[in-house]
Amino acid sequence: MQYTEIMVRYGELSTKGKNKRVFIQQLVKNVSNVLRDIDGIKIKGNDDRMHIHLNGADFAVINERLKKVFGIQTFSPVVRVEKEMSVINATAQEMMREVYTGIETFKVASKRQDHKFELDTYGLNLAVGNAIFDIFPDIKVQMKKPDIELRVDIRSDGAYLSHQVIKGASGYPVGVNSDLAHLMLSGGIDSPVAGYLMLKRGVNIEAVHFASPPYTSPESLEKTKNLTRILSEYSGSSIQFIEVPFTKIQEEIKKHADDGYQMTLTRRMMLRCIDRIRAERGGSLIVNGESLGQVASQTVQSMVAINEVTNTPIIRPVVTMDKTEIIELAERIGTFEMSIQPFEDCCTIFAPKQPKTRPQLDKVHKFESYLDIDALVDEACAGITITPISAATKVEDDEFDDLF
Ligand code: ATP
Ligand code: MG
């Protein structure tokens, strides 16, 4: 069936007035962005709905991309035809031939904005229903929760028919507010999910990764870039990937701090670096993938010790989630397979055998007094490299494929 347009219903549009306009404008922009390589389509954001006119474009490709755009509650591919009963019936029959396999129940649900139309909704339901019985005499009607709901909508400019309501990603369109968050992105399972959830709130992100070559491998870095590429499918535009050289800091910590305190010191140094980068790049938030109680560094006492180095809000979108819940979400958004590739990151390699679950601040301060913190942070931040990564970016894929 060649659909003529896609009708998009907005997500959390409880906001009114100016905010609503900003929401719709941003959503139109993001949808245009993810569909920009598809010829012929035209996008119109009305107050109540968005219309994507297909002009012959293939719905299947657009379907997959739209599902990843935040701010969309549901969408339906529709066919617009003349307001002529013979045409409406024939289109309804064609649609049912495509979806009915002999077992589904159905109903016709009509709406009429154009009150001059020859039939009212009751008459429309009956007429279209009869057209379906003509081709499938044994089909069963069910009023409550039918398998197939055939919608017929009579409007001023034509009759619209559809049978699918596809669930969107909900949330807010990315970029709807001017905040920018800096995501601490490791190669693990949790932080990409945290990034996804932040994007879902409409907040743009930049990914910051601490790499410690030669202890960490180039593959580990590529893996993290690949995770950024997957996240960029949800952001609708490229994500800046910021690599921070972290080797020297880790070596210094290893040299000067007791084993049990190395994790705390490492996290504090990461936070100092990312906070500097955030400030320079105009960000207002830091996001990480910590989940309460998951590992030793993720106790409340540990968070207190780590947080001490900054006043910047640190958002932990997965803090209350079980590991299994995080994994489920990672699978759904497509990051899980990439996250479980076995390349070690800096924390795995330098991880102490028994990190303190209740780090004492006076001890933390004592170990840090052996480090030239400012110089270390200066040097790491001066050495960052920034790469824009988008859904179209191929991250060294030939090389990477061989490793799987
Ligand atoms: P993840 O699955 O996200 O790696 P995790 O359960 O392994 O999380 P930790 O290793 O304790 O937890 O890391 C906690 C958080 O610190 C991570 O979710 C991430 O936000 C941040 N983090 C850890 N290592 C790095 C790194 N090398 N670069 C950037 N951020 C990191
Ligand atoms: Mg990790």
Side-chain angles (χ1 to χ4, degrees), residues 186-191 267 345 347-348:
S186 69
I189 296 168
D190 307 329
S191 45
R267 289 281 182 268
D345 83 0
C347 301
T348 339

Side-chain angles (χ1 to χ4, degrees), residues 1 61 82-83 135 141 154 159 164 193 205 210 228 234 302 349 386 397:
M1 177 127 241
V61 178
E82 278 171 65
K83 285 189 282 184
I135 54 166
V141 174
I154 307 290
Q164 284 181 79
V193 172
I205 59 170
F210 296 86
T228 308
Y234 297 93
S302 183
I349 290 162
I386 304 175
D397 60 348

Side-chain angles (χ1 to χ4, degrees), residues 22-317:
V22 172
F23 183 114
I24 294 170
Q25 276 167 4
Q26 187 67 49
L27 188 60
V28 168
K29 198 168 146 196
N30 295 358
V31 169
S32 310
N33 213 357
V34 297
L35 304 181
R36 68 181 173 279
D37 59 329
I38 299 175
D39 287 337
I41 57 165
K42 263 211 157 83
I43 300 168
K44 206 163 175 297
N46 293 342
D47 264 9
D48 55 342
R49 278 172 192 184
M50 182 192 294
H51 299 268
I52 305 174
H53 299 278
L54 293 174
N55 295 318
D58 182 14
F59 170 67
V61 178
I62 298 176
N63 183 14
E64 286 314 305
R65 295 197 200 167
L66 272 191
K67 280 185 197 159
K68 294 181 176 167
V69 179
F70 292 120
I72 296 178
Q73 198 64 35
T74 59
F75 58 97
S76 299
V78 300
V79 185
R80 189 182 75 166
V81 293
E82 278 171 65
K83 285 189 282 184
E84 172 63 53
M85 271 326 287
S86 60
V87 181
I88 294 172
N89 286 340
T91 311
Q93 287 174 335
E94 190 191 340
M95 207 169 247
M96 285 301 285
R97 278 202 180 92
E98 262 189 22
V99 287
Y100 180 59
T101 66
I103 51 169
E104 296 85 356
T105 58
F106 94 114
K107 88 169 183 190
V108 181
S110 302
K111 266 209 267 183
R112 190 177 66 148
Q113 276 178 9
D114 171 10
H115 290 283
K116 291 196 209 89
F117 188 70
E118 57 186 284
L119 297 176
D120 62 9
T121 51
Y122 177 76
L124 261 166
N125 288 345
L126 214 61
V128 177
N130 282 333
I132 304 305
F133 287 128
D134 284 347
I135 54 166
F136 299 123
D138 299 329
I139 193 169
K140 297 260 177 313
V141 174
Q142 186 164 308
M143 299 317 281
K144 260 196 184 162
K145 296 202 175 165
D147 300 317
I148 306 168
E149 183 165 315
L150 193 59
R151 295 166 182 234
V152 183
D153 201 350
I154 307 290
R155 292 197 231 158
S156 57
D157 60 345
Y160 290 77
L161 284 86
S162 65
H163 70 88
Q164 284 181 79
V165 179
I166 300 162
K167 211 169 163 332
S170 63
Y172 294 115
V174 176
V176 76
N177 56 46
S178 53
D179 293 327
L180 171 66
H182 282 84
L183 168 69
M184 300 176 71
L185 185 66
S186 69
I189 296 168
D190 307 329
S191 45
V193 172
Y196 166 89
L197 290 170
M198 204 65 221
L199 288 167
K200 189 175 181 188
R201 290 294 88 196
V203 178
N204 258 311
I205 59 170
E206 294 191 336
V208 180
H209 178 67
F210 296 86
S212 303
Y215 307 106
T216 56
S217 61
E219 289 81 20
S220 151
L221 183 66
E222 296 314 323
K223 172 185 174 184
T224 316
K225 287 185 179 174
N226 273 310
L227 287 167
T228 308
R229 183 178 49 72
I230 299 170
L231 285 179
S232 78
E233 291 172 18
Y234 297 93
S235 79
S237 59
S238 59
I239 294 178
Q240 303 298 325
F241 178 84
I242 303 172
E243 179 192 345
V244 187
F246 205 55
T247 314
K248 186 163 173 192
I249 293 180
Q250 294 229 274
E251 286 174 342
E252 283 292 295
I253 292 172
K254 184 108 197 140
K255 212 185 306 171
H256 295 293
D258 269 8
D259 212 48
Y261 277 83
Q262 283 172 13
M263 184 62 86
T264 313
L265 261 69
T266 302
R267 289 281 182 268
R268 283 166 65 101
M269 289 305 278
M270 280 186 181
L271 210 49
R272 288 184 176 105
C273 293
I274 197 171
D275 207 25
R276 170 87 64 86
I277 296 164
R278 171 205 64 74
E280 281 170 6
R281 298 184 61 79
S284 44
L285 301 167
I286 293 170
V287 181
N288 70 25
E290 286 175 333
S291 165
L292 197 58
Q294 200 184 86
V295 290
S297 62
Q298 297 174 16
T299 59
V300 172
Q301 294 85 347
S302 183
M303 285 179 191
V304 170
I306 295 166
N307 274 36
E308 195 198 25
V309 303
T310 177
N311 286 323
T312 305
I314 302 174
I315 312 262
R316 299 172 170 91

